[in-house]
Amino acid sequence: MTAAPFFEASGLCKSFFGVQVLHGMGFTLRPGQVLGLVGENGSGKSTTMNILGGVLPMDAGRMTLDGADYHPRGPREAEARGIAFIHQELNLFRNLSVAENLFITGFPKRIKGLPFIDRGRVAARTQELLKAVDLDIAPNTPVSRLSQGERQLVEIAKALGANARIMIFDEPTTSLTTRETDRLFDIIGRLQRQGIAIIYISHILGDVMRLCDDIVVLRDGHKVGQAARADMTIEKMITLMVGRTIDQMFPPREPPVTLGAPVLEVRGLNQRGMVKDIGFTLRAGEVLGISGLMGAGRSELARILFGMDPHESGDIRIGGTQVRELSPAACMDHGMAFLTEDRRAEGLMMEASIADNIALASLPKFGRSWAGFIERTRLGDEVQRISGAVRINARDIQRTLVKNLSGGNQQKAVIGKWLLHEPRVFILDEPTRGIDVGAKYEVYKIINQLAADGAGVLFISSEIEELTGMCDRIMVMAQGEIRAEFPRAGFDREAILRAAMWHGMKETA
Amino acid sequence: MSAVSAGGGNRSTTLFVLRNAPVLLFIVLLACFGLMSDRFLTVTNFVNIVIQAAHIGIIAIGMTFVLLIGGIDLSIGANMYIVAAVLGLFLKDLPLAISFPLVTLIGLAFGAVNAWFITRLRVAAFITTLSTLFIGRGIALYFSGNKMVGFSPEVLALGRASYFGVPSAIWGFAIVFIAAYVTLSQTTFGRQIYAVGADPDAAGKAGIDVRRIVFSVYCIAGVCAAIGGLISLSQVAVASSTFGFQKEFPVIAATVLGGTSLFGGRGGVLGTVFGAVLIQTVENGLVMTNADPYLYPLVISIIIFIAVFIDSSRNSILERLERRQIRVERV
């Protein structure tokens, strides 16, 4: 336990587009140490690990490995120096076998100098590595047949094959069953005894307490605490992760004295493996927040509500009418709008002008006669009015292409597109992700205006302050279920976070 | 095993049928044509089918490499014609042992041009090869003056020759097939092709030289197009200005029919050989049963449509089976 540290990082800094996301992060690793890394979404955990794994270059700071400088120029160099990153999205080729995945960059050859693979040696070595992670499968099993847990063990075997000395696990248990999780922890214990250092990133604080020797807490890119397991409690971790004051980040929100009629009613919504027993009512003029960790099923719920993904059972009423055949077109007809979390892929036509993007969803409204010729003038006036309302900063909305706008202005263009449609229900999935503080403030103002005009807003966000600052009511999701609900008077950051981490709390209880 | 695959008995049956649909189709076709013509189910007829399928099969083997990385090569017909034109116009007097390797190098160069545009200038493969399809044929037509191109008698003799009782076309087909099969299944390069086809980003992250792999497969497609062209012209002895015209259609069809996915990462050359023979069998069967010649394209197109349809539905089924799950349902 008292071996000297062989890896040291200090003063790591990183900025994206002028916004500093990591401020002087540092830690050390001893052989056989398990270091837990916790913090809210966006607190800098992934950035730190991407720097360590060679995925991102650092702006400032120093890392040393065995006393020598360590500045990886890419994932390959990190791997060569013995640092393996077990990604959340596993990097295996599903169409190849387990053995092929382990050796894809360098198969042993039958005869030196000739390209033919020595299948016998590949199989034998694979067997050896699989045994080290307790995985009892044939080396030529296709990866597509393996469960998530088994795939993860294959990734670990791959890291072992590359002689890794530091293994980074990023949220390894989110898609595992309890049994698979136990198995993973056994393997981690074994790796530890072999002298491999582990960095374990997780939102499940119970697991972190169970597994880690030392715990580092990050908040807003700052290291706010580090302690050995004996000196740490889950309560303390949450307090450290949260501790922030809310100043004037949000426009004042006056909750409506009387709420309007229900605009979206959901009862008993189920989809196997996705969501369970979802039920809530959203009223006109209300901003309803949905909180939860990544992978809690918030975006999946939104996609189901907008008819993009199927559901097995449930009753959904938009504006009082039951919608039986849920599809994006039907939802739009009933006055629902959906701002997806991935605006680049799903929300915007990058090569088209701002005006064309805003007009897209509402073109049928501006059709004239049987052929639906577009009423250019009326449409142009409306688009102009909307882009003024959402304050897009561009000289000519007819000419400026969306791809040339900043993230914030792009987001306003998507919102504008839906505003032109005059929605009664507006689902916003992470509407302020990746945009700067000023643009965030303007998005908040638009949300307030929407509610004041009588729409119901469903506001999905990973930032708890954003929800407590903006919403009239907050629902918390975990594992595809609604775990808790808080009225505005009862907003409590710690209680919300605790409900979101319900799974982790249960494990220690 | 996993929560996803458990209880999916029906789904795996569906997948099994989808995966083996071409074989089932083949059996049904054999039965139909066999019942309609007593000359169809004979050894002589089958040898004929394989000889006629050889050039499509060889080019389709090259196409398999390209489709495996998720690419496409539409220019193979032009490549065939360039090979024929150069051989007939400029290399007629050279012995075949020199002229054949020379024109195969021209096929390689043609493939390398495609590869260069695709990997260096990052032009979409579809656009690149559509352009070189027209440019290549245009250049060759300029030299041939749109006239028939003839070859030396040795070429025709080679086309008619048999070695150890096996016709030369089948030899060529077999050699190309074995070389391709070994490359894909027994070499690092071959396995990396599958990795690049499954996920080019992940392949790059894993340290595979993605650009080199992509470059190579277009070169291989070029070489195969040249060899297929040589086999084809040795059977007909002259090349008209439409030699190789629209060959991309049966070639891509044979590859997809053989189970190689248009989306990359799945398939292999054994299936491709099978696909090429299947297409030729259909054509042969239609001839044997005295079907109206104007029906040929229709029937073949329908079969190809079915193959592509199966390919895409298989993908969407796989996608559904592999969707990320939020909850772990305990049974």
Side-chain angles (χ1 to χ4, degrees):
Chain A
M1 279 308 284
T2 46
F6 70 106
F7 177 85
E8 205 173 330
S10 57
L12 300 184
C13 291
K14 181 74 193 170
S15 301
F16 292 116
F17 312 109
V19 182
Q20 193 163 1
V21 294
L22 207 55
H23 305 261
M25 170 67 177
F27 58 93
T28 62
L29 283 174
R30 298 184 308 270
Q33 181 186 19
V34 181
L35 180 73
L37 200 54
V38 297
E40 285 188 272
N41 296 339
S43 60
K45 293 170 298 184
S46 297
T47 310
T48 309
M49 291 309 117
N50 280 330
I51 290 173
L52 194 56
V55 180
L56 291 173
M58 58 185 160
D59 297 343
R62 181 155 188 258
M63 294 190 283
T64 57
L65 188 59
D66 295 327
D69 263 342
Y70 168 68
H71 281 258
R73 271 167 306 226
R76 282 213 84 172
E77 194 181 330
E79 193 191 311
R81 296 285 293 270
I83 292 172
F85 200 153
I86 317 286
H87 286 271
Q88 217 170 346
E89 301 290 326
L90 301 177
N91 263 333
L92 295 175
F93 302 105
R94 286 191 295 261
N95 56 341
L96 299 180
S97 75
V98 171
E100 287 170 341
N101 265 288
L102 295 186
F103 291 97
I104 192 69
T105 44
F107 285 98
K109 305 285 159 54
R110 206 172 289 176
I111 303 157
K112 218 179 161 207
L114 287 181
F116 304 108
I117 296 170
D118 188 340
R119 293 266 173 194
R121 251 167 68 204
V122 168
R125 183 89 178 100
T126 303
Q127 205 94 32
E128 226 171 87
L129 291 171
L130 290 180
K131 210 171 159 208
V133 295
D134 266 348
L135 197 53
D136 185 24
I137 51 172
N140 57 3
T141 314
V143 167
S144 60
R145 293 240 192 95
L146 303 183
S147 70
Q148 280 297 322
E150 290 168 325
R151 288 182 199 190
Q152 196 146 43
L153 293 179
V154 171
E155 281 265 12
I156 297 173
K158 191 174 173 183
L160 282 176
N163 291 319
R165 300 169 60 203
I166 300 177
M167 283 195 204
I168 305 166
F169 289 87
D170 189 2
E171 291 288 352
T173 59
T174 41
S175 49
L176 302 190
T177 62
T178 322
R179 264 212 358 256
E180 286 175 328
T181 304
D182 287 342
R183 193 168 169 194
L184 176 70
F185 289 176
D186 284 348
I187 301 291
I188 289 181
R190 191 184 301 177
L191 297 174
Q192 189 182 2
R193 285 191 291 281
Q194 286 169 18
I196 293 170
I198 311 272
I199 299 176
Y200 189 87
I201 302 174
S202 182
H203 280 306
I204 304 175
L205 304 181
D207 290 352
V208 174
M209 279 303 283
R210 177 174 152 195
L211 208 59
C212 302
D213 304 320
D214 295 274
I215 295 157
V216 169
V217 184
L218 277 172
R219 188 208 310 147
D220 294 334
H222 294 274
K223 182 162 114 178
V224 290
Q226 170 162 18
R229 172 172 37 194
D231 306 324
M232 192 56 103
T233 60
I234 291 185
E235 297 298 317
K236 206 165 153 190
M237 273 192 256
I238 292 182
T239 315
L240 282 169
M241 280 162 69
V242 171
R244 188 184 337 182
T245 53
I246 307 170
D247 35 16
Q248 280 301 17
M249 281 172 67
F250 304 97
R253 166 141 185 85
E254 292 296 325
V257 186
T258 48
L259 286 168
V263 286
L264 176 66
E265 292 162 275
V266 180
R267 294 285 168 267
L269 185 70
N270 281 297
Q271 170 68 29
R272 229 184 114 77
M274 292 291 162
V275 294
K276 190 182 172 198
D277 279 338
I278 301 288
F280 64 89
T281 304
L282 174 67
R283 293 175 174 275
E286 187 182 27
V287 180
L288 172 57
I290 302 184
S291 182
L293 304 172
M294 259 176 233
R298 296 167 301 164
S299 302
E300 287 74 10
L301 171 63
R303 289 177 59 91
I304 291 173
L305 290 177
F306 199 61
M308 294 166 84
D309 285 332
H311 62 281
E312 280 153 2
S313 61
D315 179 30
I316 295 170
R317 286 164 191 274
I318 307 174
T321 20
Q322 185 175 11
V323 188
R324 286 185 196 283
E325 292 292 322
L326 217 54
S327 69
C331 287
M332 279 165 66
D333 285 346
H334 284 85
M336 191 195 268
F338 179 28
L339 185 84
T340 60
E341 70 183 319
D342 186 359
R343 60 176 173 266
R344 270 186 177 270
E346 293 174 26
L348 282 175
M349 304 183 289
M350 285 293 156
E351 298 289 334
S353 72
I354 301 168
D356 286 346
N357 268 288
I358 292 178
L360 181 70
S362 313
L363 285 177
K365 263 175 56 185
F366 295 91
R368 191 178 45 193
S369 82
W370 57 271
F373 293 113
I374 290 160
E375 292 180 71
R376 284 271 160 212
T377 345
R378 194 158 69 87
L379 178 64
D381 291 349
E382 279 294 290
V383 167
Q384 195 70 50
R385 183 181 66 78
I386 292 285
S387 71
V390 297
R391 296 167 195 252
I392 293 179
N393 295 320
R395 238 172 275 138
D396 183 351
I397 61 160
Q398 297 289 348
R399 296 248 175 81
T400 311
L401 300 185
V402 165
K403 68 171 178 187
N404 297 328
L405 294 177
S406 70
N409 278 311
Q410 285 182 356
Q411 192 67 306
K412 289 187 220 164
V414 194
I415 295 174
K417 171 174 103 172
W418 291 112
L419 287 188
L420 188 55
H421 204 62
E422 294 170 345
R424 280 188 293 180
V425 181
F426 206 154
I427 305 174
L428 300 159
D429 193 357
E430 302 284 1
T432 62
R433 177 185 291 169
I435 65 178
D436 62 75
V437 184
K440 275 185 181 176
Y441 194 83
E442 291 189 2
V443 169
Y444 299 144
K445 273 166 74 178
I446 297 168
I447 292 172
N448 274 345
Q449 190 57 46
L450 265 167
D453 291 346
V457 178
L458 202 57
F459 188 173
I460 300 172
S461 173
S462 295
E463 287 183 41
I464 295 178
E465 313 51 44
E466 185 170 276
L467 293 178
T468 54
M470 288 300 301
C471 299
D472 302 323
R473 193 153 57 96
I474 296 175
M475 299 190 296
V476 184
M477 284 186 77
Q479 295 226 305
E481 293 174 49
I482 295 177
R483 300 303 316 173
E485 195 185 312
F486 300 88
R488 188 168 180 94
F491 283 175
D492 174 357
R493 292 180 42 79
E494 290 200 20
I496 291 171
L497 201 57
R498 207 166 288 139
M501 290 175 174
W502 159 75
H503 183 61
M505 300 301 286
K506 191 193 65 179
E507 297 268 314
T508 48
Chain B
M1 197 179 354
S2 64
V4 186
S5 62
N10 279 331
R11 281 169 171 177
S12 57
T13 327
T14 322
L15 273 182
F16 178 82
V17 172
L18 284 178
R19 208 166 272 151
N20 295 291
V23 181
L24 300 176
L25 197 66
F26 189 62
I27 293 168
V28 170
L29 284 171
L30 286 186
C32 287
F33 288 132
L35 287 174
M36 289 161 80
S37 162
D38 50 1
R39 282 180 304 151
F40 181 75
L41 287 175
T42 60
V43 175
T44 342
N45 192 38
F46 270 102
V47 171
N48 257 327
I49 288 176
V50 178
I51 291 176
Q52 285 161 8
H55 72 283
I56 295 291
I58 289 170
I59 304 170
I61 285 170
M63 187 65 78
T64 308
F65 281 77
V66 175
L67 292 193
L68 277 177
I69 60 137
I72 188 95
D73 186 353
L74 301 172
S75 69
I76 39 115
N79 198 339
M80 285 172 78
Y81 186 57
I82 287 184
V83 165
V86 171
L87 184 72
L89 294 170
F90 307 117
L91 307 173
K92 213 171 178 174
D93 305 323
L94 286 175
L96 299 188
I98 297 171
S99 62
F100 271 33
L102 272 180
V103 289
T104 307
L105 279 180
I106 290 176
L108 172 69
F110 193 104
V113 170
N114 283 334
W116 189 78
F117 275 101
I118 292 162
T119 58
R120 293 285 147 180
L121 302 186
R122 304 198 173 277
V123 184
F126 189 93
I127 301 297
T128 301
T129 58
L130 188 63
S131 314
T132 51
L133 170 65
F134 284 91
I135 293 167
R137 186 166 286 276
I139 292 171
L141 282 174
Y142 172 77
F143 285 116
S144 72
N146 215 355
K147 289 194 218 31
M148 285 274 203
V149 178
F151 306 103
S152 61
E154 291 92 344
V155 173
L156 195 58
L158 180 72
R160 289 189 178 152
S162 278
Y163 305 94
F164 305 104
V166 178
S168 56
I170 296 184
W171 274 113
F173 197 5
I175 291 168
V176 171
F177 163 69
I178 290 167
Y181 185 83
V182 170
T183 304
L184 280 182
S185 61
Q186 301 298 321
T187 68
T188 303
F189 170 67
R191 300 324 290 170
Q192 289 185 345
I193 287 177
Y194 283 87
V196 169
D199 189 344
D201 292 337
K205 267 190 229 160
I208 295 171
D209 190 345
V210 176
R211 211 186 260 191
R212 188 181 69 93
I213 303 269
V214 173
F215 197 97
S216 314
V217 296
Y218 285 99
C219 293
I220 290 170
V223 169
C224 288
I227 298 173
L230 289 175
I231 300 256
S232 177
L233 65 84
S234 73
Q235 288 167 345
V236 291
V238 287
S240 71
S241 58
T242 60
F243 183 79
F245 188 60
Q246 289 182 347
K247 283 292 181 201
E248 60 280 353
F249 189 66
V251 163
I252 294 172
T255 314
V256 175
L257 210 48
T260 298
S261 170
L262 282 168
F263 307 98
R266 203 164 43 243
V269 286
L270 186 61
T272 302
V273 169
F274 180 77
V277 172
L278 177 57
I279 286 183
Q280 197 56 49
T281 307
V282 174
E283 235 181 281
N284 179 279
L286 290 170
V287 174
M288 288 281 172
T289 52
N290 298 317
D292 184 340
Y294 292 110
L295 276 180
Y296 295 6
L298 186 65
V299 173
I300 292 176
S301 313
I302 289 171
I303 289 174
I304 289 159
F305 175 79
I306 293 172
V308 176
F309 175 73
I310 288 169
D311 181 40
S312 53
S313 53
R314 184 169 52 205
N315 269 298
S316 61
I317 288 173
L318 279 178
E319 217 163 79
R320 222 179 310 144
L321 288 176
E322 285 170 359
R323 265 204 75 165
R324 193 164 64 103
Q325 305 258 311
I326 300 297
R327 295 175 47 79
V328 181
E329 309 277 358
R330 289 184 181 84
V331 189

